[in-house]
Amino acid sequence: MSKLAAFGGTAAVPKHRRRSEWPLVEDDDRKAVITVLDGARLVSDTDGENPVAALEQDWARQFGYGHCVAVSNGTAALSLALSALGIGPGDEVIVPALSFIATGLAPVHQMAVPVFADIDPVTFNLDPDDLERRITARTAAIIPVHLHGAPADMDRIMAIAARHGIPVLEDAAQAPGATHRGRPVGSIGAAGVFSLQVSKNIPTCGEGGLLVTGDADLAAAMRRGRQFGEVIEAGRERDYVSYGLGWNHKMNGLQAAFTSSQLTRFEDYERARQANIGAFLARLAKLPGIQVPTALADTTHVWHILRFRFDPAAFGLDGVPPEALRSTLRRLLRAEGVPMSQYQLMPLPDQKVFVDRLGFGVGHHPWALTGAPGTVAGEGYPVTREVIADSLTIQKRHLHPEAGDLLALYADAFEKVWAAGDMVATLAKAAS
Ligand SMILES: *Cc1c(COP(=O)(O)O)cnc(C)c1O
């Protein structure tokens, strides 16, 4: 057994092998941006031929969406979608307790109360049973998140939503390219939202977001919302009339061109990633006490984030808190050169903004509108809490299409640490 790097041994991942860039910027991307910079159309305020309209068409064609509307970022996309769906004061919107904060904030911006539901322990996505328990007469939308790139259980979520007549908005920010029974995520509910933020699987050179829908009226409402409520159509002169409440959530042409260029390489990247990550996960799955990420049957997972759960019992640590094992493994694996980290330090309902109801005005709107109590830190959502307590993630490094060798070194590191299982157990006990 080789000596652990945490105790002076040689790291399984040598320092000079640790770099793995994401996003990957190539000459085509640079050229695409420069071409727009030297042209006349920097933003999407004119319809027809401009890089923003081109990205909308490219995205819709590549994945198979009816309509696509490009906006400034994924959070703005969530707001515009909720607005277009008519979500407003007094409504409740159900969102998963484990997600990025934006999913929980978007309803508040519509003066709607976010209602959190627990997650599935394997897919980390919205638990349909808990979702159904939380439906009330006020529930006006459901936002399943395809977290980490894994499609949520859309069969059951759509069936529940249909039974109650509630629209579904898919937060696919982490899942471009993922499919559910052959359909692209974002096309199953009434609308879907993507983020092109620089760390996501299909990035732009900064911030960007996209809305997709099969409904032409909804797409038109999102377009109006993007630009001051105005109607911008090819062949129609701009009349500067606001036909409804709008924002300025337009996308910049430089960012659109960058993403259109990235999109041409997506399939190649994706094929390479599936092979690299598949091989990596297969090695880790052989180790006792580790739950590797997995997708539901008949879906494709696009592995935006890799989350691993660790079982104290497998290390003979019954009764030891999972946090002790997690922090021990984090320290040992990081010393070996594997950048294990946490993604989400707490369930969304524990965030101060929801506990203290820090929405609008001194009256704590939107909660005060309905008398909703806000959430209580540390209470409820047992599965979300267990997952946060016993898991760690790998982010970004595995997204590079040539990360296969690096992932093999990561697997060496896991195997080395697992071979020192007695040491892991001793350290975890001491940490608890
Ligand atoms: C990144 C992300 C968002 C927000 O996207 P931005 O472009 O950063 O505003 C929303 N939901 C989820 C699940 C995300 O990961």
Side-chain angles (χ1 to χ4, degrees), residues 66-91:
H67 307 270
C68 177
V69 180
V71 293
S72 50
N73 59 65
T75 305
L78 284 168
S79 283
L80 282 177
L82 289 174
S83 170
L85 288 167
I87 307 307
D91 289 338

Side-chain angles (χ1 to χ4, degrees), residues 218-358:
L218 212 50
M222 291 162 177
R223 264 176 213 291
R224 286 196 300 274
R226 170 175 75 177
Q227 186 166 340
F228 315 115
E230 292 181 54
V231 174
I232 306 289
E233 280 171 356
R236 178 182 182 277
E237 205 169 324
R238 187 174 174 189
D239 61 6
Y240 295 93
V241 172
S242 279
Y243 293 91
L245 180 61
W247 291 260
N248 180 2
H249 285 335
K250 297 195 293 296
M251 177 183 272
N252 179 308
L254 302 175
Q255 282 160 345
F258 184 94
T259 298
S260 282
S261 176
Q262 289 272 327
L263 208 47
T264 63
R265 300 197 302 276
F266 174 70
E267 274 182 26
D268 292 339
Y269 282 8
E270 189 52 26
R271 203 172 309 115
R273 277 200 287 256
Q274 291 292 348
N276 296 340
I277 294 163
F280 175 57
L281 297 180
R283 274 182 71 184
L284 263 55
K286 295 200 186 101
L287 301 173
I290 180 165
Q291 178 187 308
V292 302
T294 176
L296 294 169
D298 206 9
T299 66
T300 50
H301 192 316
V302 290
W303 314 117
H304 175 61
I305 287 174
L306 306 178
R307 183 183 289 274
F308 303 94
R309 299 188 68 183
F310 306 109
D311 179 8
F315 289 87
L317 291 167
D318 291 286
V320 171
E323 291 90 341
L325 175 60
R326 183 198 70 201
S327 62
T328 300
L329 288 172
R330 181 178 198 269
R331 180 176 145 222
L332 298 181
L333 286 164
R334 285 180 82 100
E336 299 297 337
V338 190
M340 303 302 287
S341 62
Q342 282 185 270
Y343 179 81
Q344 300 306 317
L345 304 180
M346 64 184 94
L348 286 189
D350 282 19
Q351 289 272 0
K352 197 169 169 53
V353 59
F354 305 124
V355 172
D356 293 347
R357 306 191 302 165
L358 304 173

Side-chain angles (χ1 to χ4, degrees), residues 73-75 78 99-100 102-103 145 147 171 173-174 195-197 200 207-208 343:
N73 59 65
T75 305
L78 284 168
S99 183
F100 183 64
T103 320
V145 179
L147 197 69
D171 181 342
Q174 301 189 1
S195 168
L196 304 176
Q197 200 271 337
K200 302 288 161 91
E207 307 281 341
Y343 179 81

